[in-house]
Coordinates of all heavy atoms in Angstrom, one line a residue:
H458 N -35.1 -6.5 9.7 CA -35.8 -7.8 9.9 C -35.9 -8.5 8.5 O -35.9 -9.8 8.5 CB -37.1 -7.6 10.5 CG -37.1 -7.2 11.9 ND1 -38.2 -6.7 12.6 CD2 -36.0 -7.1 12.8 CE1 -37.8 -6.4 13.9 NE2 -36.5 -6.7 14.0
Y469 N -20.0 -21.6 15.4 CA -19.9 -20.3 15.9 C -19.3 -20.4 17.3 O -19.2 -21.5 17.9 CB -21.3 -19.6 15.9 CG -22.2 -20.0 17.0 CD1 -22.5 -19.3 18.2 CD2 -22.8 -21.3 16.9 CE1 -23.3 -19.7 19.1 CE2 -23.7 -21.7 17.9 CZ -23.9 -20.9 19.0 OH -24.8 -21.4 20.0
G487 N -29.3 -26.7 12.8 CA -30.5 -26.9 13.6 C -30.7 -25.9 14.7 O -31.6 -26.0 15.5
T488 N -30.0 -24.8 14.6 CA -30.1 -23.7 15.6 C -30.4 -22.4 14.9 O -30.3 -22.3 13.6 CB -28.8 -23.5 16.4 OG1 -27.8 -22.8 15.6 CG2 -28.2 -24.8 16.8
P489 N -30.8 -21.3 15.6 CA -31.0 -20.0 15.0 C -29.8 -19.4 14.4 O -29.9 -18.4 13.7 CB -31.6 -19.2 16.1 CG -32.2 -20.2 17.1 CD -31.3 -21.4 17.0
M490 N -28.6 -20.0 14.7 CA -27.3 -19.4 14.2 C -27.0 -19.9 12.8 O -26.0 -19.5 12.3 CB -26.2 -19.8 15.2 CG -26.5 -19.7 16.7 SD -27.1 -18.0 17.1 CE -25.5 -17.1 17.1
D491 N -27.8 -20.8 12.3 CA -27.5 -21.4 11.0 C -28.0 -20.4 9.8 O -29.2 -20.3 9.6 CB -28.2 -22.7 10.8 CG -27.7 -23.5 9.6 OD1 -26.9 -22.9 8.8 OD2 -28.1 -24.7 9.5
F492 N -27.0 -19.9 9.1 CA -27.2 -19.0 8.0 C -26.5 -19.6 6.7 O -26.3 -18.9 5.8 CB -26.7 -17.6 8.2 CG -27.6 -16.8 9.2 CD1 -27.3 -16.8 10.5 CD2 -28.7 -16.1 8.7 CE1 -28.1 -16.0 11.4 CE2 -29.5 -15.4 9.6 CZ -29.2 -15.3 10.9
K496 N -31.3 -16.7 4.8 CA -32.5 -16.7 5.7 C -32.8 -15.3 6.1 O -31.9 -14.5 6.3 CB -32.1 -17.5 7.0 CG -33.2 -17.6 8.0 CD -32.8 -18.5 9.2 CE -31.6 -18.0 10.0 NZ -31.3 -18.9 11.2
R497 N -34.1 -15.0 6.2 CA -34.6 -13.7 6.6 C -34.1 -13.5 8.1 O -34.3 -14.4 8.9 CB -36.1 -13.6 6.5 CG -36.7 -12.3 7.0 CD -38.2 -12.4 6.8 NE -38.9 -11.2 7.4 CZ -39.3 -11.1 8.6 NH1 -39.1 -12.2 9.4 NH2 -39.9 -10.1 9.1
I498 N -33.5 -12.4 8.4 CA -32.9 -12.1 9.7 C -34.0 -12.2 10.8 O -33.8 -12.7 11.9 CB -32.1 -10.8 9.8 CG1 -30.9 -10.9 8.9 CG2 -31.8 -10.4 11.2 CD1 -30.1 -9.6 8.7
G499 N -35.1 -11.6 10.5 CA -36.2 -11.6 11.5 C -36.8 -13.0 11.8 O -37.5 -13.1 12.9
D500 N -36.5 -14.0 11.0 CA -37.2 -15.3 11.3 C -36.8 -15.9 12.6 O -37.7 -16.5 13.3 CB -36.8 -16.3 10.2 CG -37.5 -16.0 8.8 OD1 -38.4 -15.1 8.8 OD2 -37.2 -16.6 7.8
D501 N -35.6 -15.8 13.0 CA -35.1 -16.4 14.3 C -34.6 -15.4 15.3 O -34.1 -15.8 16.3 CB -34.0 -17.5 14.0 CG -34.5 -18.7 13.3 OD1 -35.7 -19.0 13.4 OD2 -33.8 -19.4 12.6
L502 N -34.7 -14.1 15.0 CA -34.1 -13.1 15.8 C -34.6 -13.2 17.3 O -33.8 -13.1 18.2 CB -34.4 -11.7 15.2 CG -33.7 -10.5 15.9 CD1 -32.2 -10.7 16.0 CD2 -34.1 -9.3 15.1
D503 N -35.9 -13.4 17.5 CA -36.4 -13.5 18.8 C -36.1 -14.8 19.6 O -36.3 -14.9 20.7 CB -37.9 -13.3 18.8 CG -38.7 -14.3 18.1 OD1 -38.0 -15.2 17.4 OD2 -39.9 -14.3 18.1
K504 N -35.4 -15.7 18.9 CA -35.0 -17.0 19.5 C -33.6 -16.9 20.1 O -33.1 -17.8 20.7 CB -35.1 -18.1 18.5 CG -36.5 -18.3 17.9 CD -36.4 -19.4 16.8 CE -37.8 -19.6 16.2 NZ -37.8 -20.5 15.0
V505 N -32.9 -15.8 19.8 CA -31.5 -15.6 20.3 C -31.6 -14.5 21.4 O -32.0 -13.4 21.2 CB -30.6 -15.1 19.2 CG1 -29.2 -14.9 19.7 CG2 -30.7 -16.0 18.0
Q506 N -31.2 -15.0 22.6 CA -31.2 -14.1 23.8 C -30.4 -12.8 23.5 O -29.2 -12.9 23.2 CB -30.7 -14.8 25.0 CG -30.8 -13.9 26.3 CD -30.4 -14.7 27.5 OE1 -30.0 -15.8 27.5 NE2 -30.5 -14.0 28.7
G507 N -31.1 -11.7 23.6 CA -30.4 -10.4 23.3 C -30.2 -10.0 21.9 O -29.9 -8.9 21.6
G508 N -30.4 -11.0 21.0 CA -30.2 -10.7 19.5 C -28.9 -11.3 19.1 O -28.1 -11.7 19.9
Y509 N -28.6 -11.2 17.8 CA -27.4 -11.7 17.3 C -26.2 -10.7 17.6 O -26.3 -9.5 17.3 CB -27.4 -11.8 15.8 CG -28.4 -12.9 15.3 CD1 -29.6 -12.6 14.7 CD2 -28.1 -14.3 15.4 CE1 -30.5 -13.6 14.3 CE2 -28.9 -15.3 15.0 CZ -30.1 -14.9 14.4 OH -31.0 -15.9 14.0
D510 N -25.2 -11.3 18.3 CA -23.9 -10.5 18.5 C -22.9 -11.5 18.8 O -22.3 -11.6 19.9 CB -24.1 -9.6 19.7 CG -23.0 -8.5 19.8 OD1 -22.1 -8.5 19.0 OD2 -23.0 -7.8 20.8
H511 N -22.6 -12.3 17.8 CA -21.8 -13.5 17.9 C -20.7 -13.6 16.8 O -20.9 -13.0 15.7 CB -22.6 -14.8 17.9 CG -23.6 -14.9 18.9 ND1 -24.8 -14.2 18.9 CD2 -23.7 -15.6 20.1 CE1 -25.5 -14.4 20.0 NE2 -24.8 -15.3 20.7
S549 N -26.8 -7.6 15.2 CA -28.1 -7.1 14.7 C -28.6 -5.8 15.3 O -29.8 -5.6 15.3 CB -29.1 -8.3 14.9 OG -29.2 -8.7 16.2
N551 N -28.6 -4.6 18.4 CA -29.5 -4.9 19.5 C -29.5 -3.7 20.5 O -30.5 -3.5 21.2 CB -29.0 -6.1 20.3 CG -28.7 -7.2 19.4 OD1 -29.5 -7.5 18.5 ND2 -27.6 -7.9 19.6
K568 N -33.7 -0.1 17.7 CA -33.3 -1.5 17.9 C -33.4 -2.3 16.6 O -34.5 -2.2 15.9 CB -34.0 -2.2 19.0 CG -33.5 -3.6 19.4 CD -34.3 -4.1 20.6 CE -33.8 -5.4 21.0 NZ -34.5 -5.9 22.2
H569 N -32.4 -3.0 16.2 CA -32.4 -3.8 14.9 C -32.5 -2.9 13.7 O -33.0 -3.3 12.6 CB -33.4 -4.9 14.9 CG -33.3 -5.8 16.1 ND1 -34.5 -6.4 16.7 CD2 -32.3 -6.2 16.9 CE1 -34.1 -7.1 17.7 NE2 -32.8 -7.0 17.8

Side-chain angles (χ1 to χ4, degrees):
H458 291 169
Y469 76 105
T488 77
M490 316 304 285
D491 192 352
F492 286 92
K496 180 174 66 174
R497 180 178 172 273
I498 290 172
D500 286 353
D501 289 334
L502 186 54
D503 62 353
K504 300 175 185 176
V505 181
Q506 184 177 0
Y509 293 107
D510 194 1
H511 299 76
S549 55
N551 312 318
K568 186 176 183 179
H569 305 148

